[in-house]
Amino acid sequence: MTHAPPSAALLGLFARTRPTRDGAVLLRSALHARRLVLLKALLVRVHRHRAELGGGVGGRFEVAWDLLERAERRAPSAVRDLLDYPTTGGWLAAALTAPPGPELDARLAHFDALALTAALRAGCALDLTVATPHGTLPLTGLGRLLTGADRVAVRTTGRHARLTPEGAGPDRTVLLPRDPRSGSPAGSGWSPVLRLPGGTAVLDDLDPYRVPRGGIGNPPRTGVEAGPAGRAVWAGQWRAALRLLDATDPGRAGEVRSLVRVLVPVAHAEKGTGPFGATLRAAPGAVLAALPEGPREMAEVLVHETQHTKLAAVHELVPLHTAGPATVHRVGWRTDARPIAGVLQGAYAHLALTDLWRRAARSTGLPAPWRTRAGQQFERFHHQVGRALSVLLESDELTNAGREFARHMQQHHARLGATPRALR
């Protein structure tokens, strides 16, 4: 399935980093189209390697596929929402790259849980048994059930689904609403994701595919469970960061609410390394972050990572560069040299931040600490972004569309001007 590229006018708006309603609609549509292509590619891979799959793996995959199709016929919007959830992309990437054998078998086992989640959200009548490897049943975007068993029986009765681990007594049965988002379960072992205030995003510190195996970044950071107290801190920072963005740049605040679906807590590295955020190409819409020091840093991480999601989607629609990692360039915000893709990614995110900081520094109605930090950050990064844009425009590694994209970025950078007058 292919998707029409953005018009020249819309591509120019993307390059200037400013939020647009049409841009957000296009990005969500392109994401869904790609997710369907990857899901079909996985089906083809399973058929191709069926003889190499472990006992029963291929059959269970087909049963789960049928269940997913059944759910889609009943509630297409609910299934689309599930397929577009960021960790679904993380699972697909892991399954498509796992070597045939035990590793691929383990990745495919997760499809049982994914299809079950779709069926529960669609309100399907169920009477089946699903695998729960390692004694856990993750329901994507909803939560996790600790089963203590390898399999769990699922039966729907009325408006609820009864989940009973194999070999467990009646006291281990968990009663879930047909759609677990609509109410609280009864029974032990269930942990829901945290609904963040002021939007539709969640804090997901439970999904097994929220962070790649081995962690992310250098040094590698792994996913962590925040715990009740930690979750409250995350929710407070999220709320305060959105309030700060609402007061500084309502358009960017709306863009964060629209494009960020999941916050994923990761472990802290050593002190003094600054705020950490990351976006996985396979899982756009998820912001992986170590807990920032406060709302100002949280706001910056959210804006920064939202730009990575946007740029990755644009590049999928219209390739902006053709270079591999061999040729590297220096940029002001990194100590290591970066390939042209990294230069473009960093320049794009920091261009959006310099826009945000300029607005904050020039406003008289914002908290003084935010204005002060914004002014300092603007002074630090405005020149660095300009240097990076020069690298991009002098490079022969951009496509024609990429060069035009960089020109629009440069024009917006020039409009931002030098140090905001309010800071002189």
Side-chain angles (χ1 to χ4, degrees):
M1 182 176 180
T2 59
H3 201 283
S7 65
L10 186 55
L11 192 65
L13 290 174
F14 274 125
R16 291 192 285 275
T17 79
R18 294 300 305 163
T20 67
R21 183 183 300 274
D22 289 345
V25 170
L26 178 65
L27 294 183
R28 286 193 292 268
S29 179
L31 164 65
H32 185 64
R34 177 168 175 76
R35 203 54 62 81
L36 292 179
V37 168
L38 294 177
L39 190 62
K40 182 62 178 293
L42 182 61
L43 178 63
V44 170
R45 186 168 195 232
V46 168
H47 288 164
R48 182 176 300 154
H49 293 282
R50 189 176 183 101
E52 303 169 67
L53 299 177
V57 173
R60 289 199 304 272
F61 186 89
E62 290 182 353
V63 170
W65 188 277
D66 290 343
L67 182 58
L68 183 67
E69 288 186 330
R70 178 181 158 203
E72 199 275 338
R73 288 192 296 270
R74 182 178 177 87
S77 61
V79 174
R80 173 174 179 155
D81 188 66
L82 173 67
L83 292 180
D84 294 350
Y85 191 76
T87 63
T88 302
W91 166 71
L92 279 168
L96 285 167
T97 57
E103 186 174 343
L104 178 58
D105 292 351
R107 298 289 174 262
L108 295 180
H110 183 71
F111 194 38
D112 280 12
L114 190 73
L116 174 62
T117 307
L120 288 170
R121 289 192 54 182
C124 296
L126 299 172
D127 185 357
L128 73 165
T129 301
V130 297
T132 55
H134 311 295
T136 63
L137 176 63
L139 298 181
T140 304
L142 303 176
R144 180 188 65 196
L145 177 66
L146 299 179
T147 67
D150 293 331
R151 301 180 69 78
V152 62
V154 183
R155 309 285 185 271
T156 51
T157 56
R159 296 185 177 182
H160 292 84
R162 293 181 178 273
L163 283 72
T164 305
E166 276 192 350
D171 60 318
R172 290 299 311 280
T173 294
V174 174
L175 196 64
L176 287 179
R178 281 286 194 99
D179 184 347
R181 300 173 305 162
S182 64
S184 300
S188 61
W190 172 252
S191 300
V193 299
L194 175 68
R195 303 285 158 182
L196 291 168
T200 59
V202 301
L203 181 80
D204 194 338
D205 55 351
L206 302 170
D207 194 285
Y209 289 94
R210 66 192 187 276
V211 180
R213 188 196 310 185
I216 186 171
N218 186 20
R221 307 183 192 221
T222 56
V224 295
E225 294 189 29
R231 282 179 157 209
V233 174
W234 275 97
Q237 282 212 19
W238 167 268
R239 180 190 294 109
L242 286 182
R243 286 176 178 169
L244 203 57
L245 289 174
D246 281 330
T248 306
D249 189 342
R252 291 209 186 275
E255 184 175 63
V256 167
R257 288 187 175 94
S258 174
L259 296 182
V260 176
R261 293 193 61 182
V262 181
L263 271 181
V264 176
V266 300
H268 280 279
E270 64 274 9
K271 291 185 177 181
T273 56
F276 174 83
T279 300
L280 301 173
R281 183 179 177 185
V287 173
L288 286 65
L291 184 66
E293 292 183 5
R296 297 185 294 274
E297 292 80 5
M298 172 70 88
E300 291 167 7
V301 167
L302 293 175
V303 170
H304 187 282
E305 298 308 322
T306 299
Q307 307 315 304
H308 288 334
T309 288
K310 288 164 59 180
L311 187 65
V314 170
H315 181 63
E316 290 285 348
L317 294 169
V318 183
L320 302 175
H321 55 81
T322 59
T327 304
V328 293
H329 311 267
R330 292 287 176 181
V331 292
W333 51 84
R334 296 281 297 237
T335 57
D336 56 332
R338 305 290 289 156
I340 202 68
V343 177
L344 177 60
Q345 187 181 68
Y348 188 71
H350 284 95
L351 179 60
L353 284 172
T354 54
D355 184 319
L356 177 74
W357 290 324
R358 183 176 186 271
R359 291 168 185 267
R362 291 168 65 94
S363 175
T364 58
L366 294 171
W370 174 226
R371 294 181 60 210
T372 299
R373 176 180 172 83
Q376 294 168 344
Q377 295 292 81
F378 182 94
E379 288 185 328
R380 179 182 175 190
F381 285 104
H382 184 266
H383 177 68
Q384 293 180 1
V385 171
R387 291 286 299 274
L389 287 169
S390 296
V391 170
L392 292 169
L393 289 169
E394 292 170 4
S395 172
D396 60 0
E397 300 168 297
L398 297 183
T399 63
N400 290 336
R403 191 170 300 278
E404 187 65 20
F405 194 85
R407 288 195 190 100
H408 282 293
M409 289 174 63
Q410 187 181 54
Q411 291 168 6
H412 185 59
H413 178 265
R415 281 194 292 270
L416 293 179
T419 304
R421 186 174 303 171
L423 298 176
R424 294 181 184 274

